[in-house]
DNA sequence: GTGAAAGCGCTAACAG
DNA sequence: CTGTTAGCGCTTTCAC
C-alpha cells in the first residue's frame, strides 16, 4: 500500500520539464501551448496517470461544469425521457449532471436541493406541478431553463401544444366526430391552460364542438373517476389531459362494457410507454421529450457563456394514431353490445340516441 | 447591479468578531465551538445570507459529499425506482447525487462517466447488462456498490431471486401446474443465472418440472419472439425472465388466439408499471427497488466512512398476483376457443391434448 | 475554545 | 509561447 496520492499538475510539470501553469494550459485550453510541449506534457500525464481534478478547477474558476436537473419525479416516464436528453446534451458539452428529485416539498428535500444548487452552474427544471413561487426562488439562485412549462418570461422549452391539439382535432374531425369532451387535468397546471386554449382554437378551426369536465388528477385513478362524469353526458370522442387519464378512462369505460373505440374514441397527451401496451393502443400526442431535454441544457449552456438568448422554444409534436380512435359509428348496434344507458338520469351517448 | 460576490466565512467572521477558522468550525463540526460564539456566528451568517461553499470545502477535504449513480438507462422504470431510493437516502445523508447514464458504451459517454467519477466520493451502480470488465475498471477508481447484480466479491444489493422463484413455483403449483417453461433472458445476465438456479431448486421443492427456452432479449419484442418457440412445445405455465418478456409473450399468445391465463399462465419478474396496465394484469415478482437503492447508498456511505462492511445484501421480494395466472384447465373446451394447434409440427398444449 | 498560517490543485493575470 | 505569482473558500494542524 504505497501512499499514492493522485498525481497533480505539479507532478506532470516536473516530469515534462515545464511549469505547472503550462500543464494547466495544456489541458484547459489546448492551442495556447506549443505543439511539441503539449505532446511532452500529454505523454508525462498519461505515464503518471494524471487526471484533471474538476473540484480544484472549480474553486479556481468559480464554475463547476455541472448543471442540476431538477425534477419532481424521476419515476415519471416523461421525466425520465427529458432527463436522458438533458444528460446526453450535458455530457456531450463536457458537463456533469446533478439530479435532484424534489418530490414533495419536504424539508430534507429542500436542503438537498439547496445543496445541489450551490454546486452547479445552472439548472434545468422539469417540475410540471411545482408551485410558481418555488420556481421563482429557484431561478433567483442560478440561471435556469424550464422544461415542459412556461412561467413569466423565464426561458423554457415546451412542446407545441396548440399544434398537438390541432392535429388531434383534425384526426377526430376526419373520423366524423362532431363533439368532444376535454377531460381536464390539474387546474393550476400550465399544460392544462394550454390545452384548453388549443382546444378552443382547434375546435373552431375544424368545426368540432367541445365541452370540458374536470379538473381531475393526472393519474389513472383520475381518469377512472372522470369516466363517471363523462357518462353523465357522453360524447363520441374524448380528449384527455394526458395519457394516464386517458388510460384510466379507457379502463373504466371498458369495465362498464362501453367499447373503445367503437362507441367512444379516446386520445391522450404524452405517448408514455404504457399507451402502446394497453388494449386498445392509445392514440396520443407525442412530445419530443428527448429533444426538449437536450435543447433545455443547450439553451442553459448558452445562457451560462453569454452566447444565449433567454427565449422560449416550442418544439413540434407528433400525432401517434393507435387503436383508441375510430370512425364515429352511425349504427351503434353493430358495436356488439349497447350498454350505454347510465345512471337514473338516463342519458345516452349521442351516437346511441338514434 | 452591485458586484455582490457570495459572502464567505471571512465576511461572517468579521461580522461576528471572530476568526475565519472559528466560523469554519461552527459549520463543519458544531460542538467544537462555544455555544455563545456559535450563536453569534449563526446570526451573522444568516444576516449576510452566507451559505457554505461545497466546492471549496471539497478542495480542502478531498471529499465532495457527492456520489455517482451510474445507470445504463434512466428510462428504464426499474432503474428509475432504484434511482429514487438512492436519491432519497443520499439526500437524507447530506449527499448530492450525480447521475451518469452510461447507455451504449460510446466514447462521449465514457468521458462523461470518467468526469463524473472523478468528482464523487463513491458510486452506486445499476448496470444490469454492463460487461464485467467495465464494472471492474469502475470500482477500481472509487468505492462502489452494485445494485441488482453481483460480481466477484463486490459489495452489492440484490433482490432475493431464489425466494421469488420459490413463491412463483408455490403459486403455480397450487394452481395445479405440473410443468413450466422458463423463458430465459440475456445469457450473460447475472439475474438470468440466478433465475435458472432458483428455478431448479424451487422446481424440486414443489415437484414442478421445468424446461428452458432462450435466451431472448429482455424486451417486449423478445417476448413475442419467444412465444413462437414456446408454442413448438407448449406448457400450461410460463415463467419469463422479466416483465417485458412476459408482456411480449402475452401479446403474441393473445394475438394467436391463445387465452391467457385460461390456456397458459404467464408470470414475470419486476412488477413494472405496465404489468398492472395490460390485460390481463401480469402476475409477477416485485423487487423492493426503492429500498434497494436506499440500502445501496447506505452501504456505500458506510464504506466511505469506514464504518461499513463490504457485504452483499439480498432483500425480500413480493409476489404480486394478477390476472395472468389461473388454475390449470382440465377441460380446454370451456376456454371458448381452441386454436392451440401450431405449425406443421403439430404439437399441442399438454392441457389441450386430452 | 479560539486564532494564525499553511495548504488543497488548479487557473489567471502579468511579465518576459 | 511559457514561467512567476497570487489567489479561490474552506479546513486543519499547531500554538496560545
Amino acid at each position: 500500500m504505497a501512499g499514492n496520492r493522485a498525481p497533480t499538475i505539479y507532478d506532470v510539470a516536473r516530469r515534462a520539464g515545464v511549469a505547472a501553469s503550462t500543464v494547466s494550459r495544456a489541458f484547459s485550453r489546448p492551442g495556447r501551448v506549443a505543439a511539441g510541449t503539449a505532446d511532452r506534457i500529454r505523454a508525462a500525464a498519461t505515464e503518471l496517470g494524471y487526471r484533471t481534478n474538476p473540484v480544484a478547477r472549480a474553486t479556481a474558476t468559480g464554475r463547476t461544469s455541472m448543471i442540476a436537473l431538477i425534477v419532481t419525479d424521476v419515476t415519471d416516464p416523461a421525466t425520465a425521457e427529458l432527463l436522458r436528453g438533458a444528460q446526453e446534451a450535458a455530457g456531450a458539452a463536457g458537463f456533469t449532471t446533478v439530479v435532484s428529485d424534489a418530490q414533495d416539498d419536504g424539508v430534507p428535500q429542500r436542503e438537498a436541493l439547496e445543496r445541489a444548487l450551490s454546486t452547479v452552474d445552472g439548472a434545468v427544471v422539469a417540475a410540471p406541478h411545482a408551485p410558481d413561487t418555488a420556481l421563482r426562488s429557484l431561478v433567483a439562485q442560478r440561471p435556469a431553463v424550464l422544461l415542459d412549462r412556461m412561467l413569466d418570461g423565464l426561458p423554457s422549452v415546451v412542446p407545441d401544444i396548440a399544434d398537438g391539439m390541432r392535429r388531434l382535432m383534425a384526426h377526430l374531425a376526419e373520423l366524423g366526430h362532431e363533439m368532444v369532451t376535454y377531460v381536464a387535468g390539474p387546474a393550476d397546471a400550465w399544460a392544462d391552460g394550454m390545452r384548453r386554449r388549443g382546444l378552443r382554437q382547434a375546435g373552431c378551426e375544424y368545426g368540432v364542438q367541445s365541452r370540458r369536465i374536470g379538473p381531475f388528477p393526472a393519474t389513472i385513478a383520475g381518469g377512472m373517476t372522470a369516466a363517471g362524469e363523462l357518462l353523465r353526458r357522453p360524447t363520441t370522442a374524448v380528449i384527455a389531459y394526458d395519457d394516464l387519464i386517458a388510460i384510466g378512462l379507457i379502463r373504466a369505460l371498458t369495465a362498464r362494457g362501453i367499447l373503445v373505440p367503437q362507441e367512444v374514441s379516446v386520445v391522450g397527451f404524452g405517448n408514455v410507454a404504457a399507451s402502446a401496451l394497453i388494449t386498445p393502443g392509445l392514440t396520443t400526442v407525442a412530445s419530443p421529450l428527448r429533444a426538449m431535454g437536450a435543447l433545455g441544457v443547450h439553451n442553459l449552456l448558452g445562457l451560462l457563456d453569454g452566447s444565449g438568448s433567454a427565449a422560449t422554444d416550442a418544439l413540434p409534436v407528433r400525432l401517434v394514431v393507435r387503436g383508441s380512435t375510430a370512425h364515429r359509428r352511425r349504427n351503434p348496434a353493430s358495436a356488439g353490445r349497447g350498454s350505454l344507458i347510465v345512471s337514473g338520469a338516463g342519458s345516452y351517448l349521442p351516437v346511441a340516441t338514434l
Side-chain angles (χ1 to χ4, degrees), chain A:
Chain A
M1 302 303 174
N4 285 343
R5 7 158 245 92
T8 73
I9 44 172
Y10 294 100
D11 301 318
V12 177
R14 198 172 315 121
R15 204 166 197 324
V18 297
S21 56
T22 307
V23 176
S24 171
R25 284 189 202 97
F27 285 106
S28 51
R29 46 195 54 186
R32 310 278 273 174
V33 81
T37 324
D39 287 346
R40 213 142 27 91
I41 292 179
R42 248 190 309 275
T46 55
E47 281 169 37
L48 263 45
Y50 168 77
R51 323 226 47 184
T52 75
N53 178 332
V55 178
R57 182 195 299 246
T59 37
T61 61
R63 333 187 80 252
T64 57
S65 287
M66 300 200 275
I67 62 177
L69 306 181
I70 298 170
V71 304
T72 40
D73 183 5
V74 236
T75 279
D76 177 79
T79 299
E81 206 68 44
L82 287 169
L83 271 187
R84 160 160 288 191
Q87 260 260 143
E88 284 176 358
F95 275 67
T96 299
T97 51
V98 165
V99 169
S100 185
D101 194 338
Q103 312 189 62
D104 48 346
D105 299 75
V107 176
Q109 335 290 13
R110 174 145 195 81
E111 274 178 27
L113 214 180
E114 295 294 344
R115 226 180 300 125
L117 268 182
S118 59
T119 56
V120 301
D121 297 337
V124 167
V125 186
H129 307 312
D132 292 3
T133 55
L135 292 185
R136 260 190 272 269
S137 84
L138 195 155
V139 297
Q141 302 185 47
R142 289 280 187 275
V145 172
L146 266 38
L147 252 37
D148 215 352
R149 159 165 190 179
M150 288 171 55
L151 182 61
D152 299 347
L154 297 180
S156 56
V157 177
V158 299
D160 189 342
I161 294 181
D163 184 52
M165 202 51 100
R166 208 173 298 125
R167 286 169 198 246
L168 234 31
M169 276 297 186
H171 176 61
L172 292 175
E174 191 180 316
L175 292 175
H177 297 277
E178 295 167 351
M179 164 85 145
V180 309
T181 299
Y182 171 63
V183 178
D188 54 330
W190 168 81
D192 193 65
M194 293 300 286
R195 308 235 155 119
R196 301 218 291 250
R197 185 180 329 173
L199 181 76
R200 224 174 304 129
Q201 290 177 356
C204 268
E205 204 166 320
Y206 290 95
V208 175
Q209 299 221 45
S210 67
R211 59 138 189 178
R212 168 160 48 95
I213 63 176
F216 296 97
T219 60
I220 293 181
M224 297 184 73
T225 308
E229 194 167 330
L230 167 69
L231 291 176
R232 299 235 304 275
R233 183 97 210 297
T235 54
T236 60
V238 180
I239 298 179
Y241 168 75
D242 74 356
D243 284 357
L244 290 183
I245 289 185
I247 291 172
L249 275 167
I250 293 178
R251 305 201 87 177
L253 291 174
T254 305
R256 292 183 191 225
I258 297 170
L259 297 177
V260 175
Q262 291 87 339
E263 298 174 272
V264 185
S265 286
V266 177
V267 303
F269 272 85
N271 193 34
V272 301
S275 54
L277 298 178
I278 60 166
T279 314
L282 181 66
T283 294
T284 186
V285 174
S287 294
L289 297 167
R290 200 97 146 245
M292 287 169 56
L295 185 57
V297 330
H298 176 255
N299 287 357
L300 176 63
L301 266 33
L303 239 53
L304 292 181
D305 69 15
S307 75
S309 46
T312 285
D313 291 308
L315 267 45
V317 299
R318 198 163 49 87
L319 177 65
V320 180
V321 177
R322 298 203 183 89
S324 68
T325 45
H327 205 284
R328 176 185 168 196
R329 277 288 172 84
R330 305 226 141 260
N331 177 9
S334 69
R337 317 182 213 169
S339 54
L340 280 179
I341 305 176
V342 283
S343 84
S347 5
Y348 296 77
L349 258 188
V351 354
T353 45
L354 58 106

